Amino acid sequence: MSDRNGGDFGSYFAGFLMGGLIGAAVALLMAPASGEETRKLIREKGIELRDRTVESLEQAAAEARQRAEELTKLARERAAEVGKEARELSGELRGRAEELRTRGGAVAEDIRLRGEAAIEAAKT
């Protein structure tokens, strides 16, 4: 959806620019004015169009920065969650490994004792 919004802004901007230029040309052709007045009007309209364009670009840049900050914040939050989950899982795995080591040691000791008992029984 964000790709679509970016495309919409480009279309909007291009339409805005073309509309401004066409409107200025029509105004110049339809208005009865002297050459000096026409040049002054062209200059004023050009400045106005430039200011609108700058405002639109600044607004788009501010929105892009805001969205980038939001995405960065979300990415950091998700990374923290994943890290926490990984630490918890690691702790669980360590606990299970320790439990298995303890049980394995107990089984080994039991087998050793049975072996010794079997050897003693075989000697007698």
Side-chain angles (χ1 to χ4, degrees):
M1 186 166 174
S2 63
D3 289 340
R4 185 174 181 208
N5 289 341
D8 287 345
F9 176 74
S11 297
Y12 168 79
F13 183 70
F16 176 78
L17 189 61
M18 289 300 295
L21 292 173
I22 291 170
V26 169
L28 292 174
L29 294 173
M30 300 305 272
S34 68
E36 186 176 326
E37 290 174 0
T38 303
R39 285 189 295 276
K40 182 180 177 185
L41 183 61
I42 290 172
R43 189 177 326 110
E44 289 172 357
K45 292 295 180 181
I47 291 170
E48 183 181 328
L49 182 60
R50 181 196 65 200
D51 291 345
R52 285 184 190 172
T53 302
V54 168
E55 287 176 16
S56 295
L57 290 174
E58 287 174 351
Q59 181 181 2
E63 290 173 5
R65 277 191 298 275
Q66 180 182 1
R67 185 66 180 147
E69 289 171 4
E70 291 172 1
L71 291 173
T72 300
K73 181 181 175 184
L74 287 172
R76 286 183 178 151
E77 289 173 356
R78 185 62 187 136
E81 290 173 9
V82 169
K84 180 181 176 185
E85 291 170 2
R87 285 188 297 276
E88 290 173 356
L89 182 59
S90 176
E92 289 177 26
L93 292 175
R94 270 189 242 128
R96 288 181 185 170
E98 181 63 29
E99 179 184 331
L100 289 173
R101 188 186 65 78
T102 303
R103 287 174 57 195
V107 168
E109 181 64 21
D110 185 49
I111 291 172
R112 186 185 64 79
L113 291 175
R114 287 184 185 185
E116 287 176 359
I119 291 172
E120 284 299 317
K123 286 183 184 178
T124 55

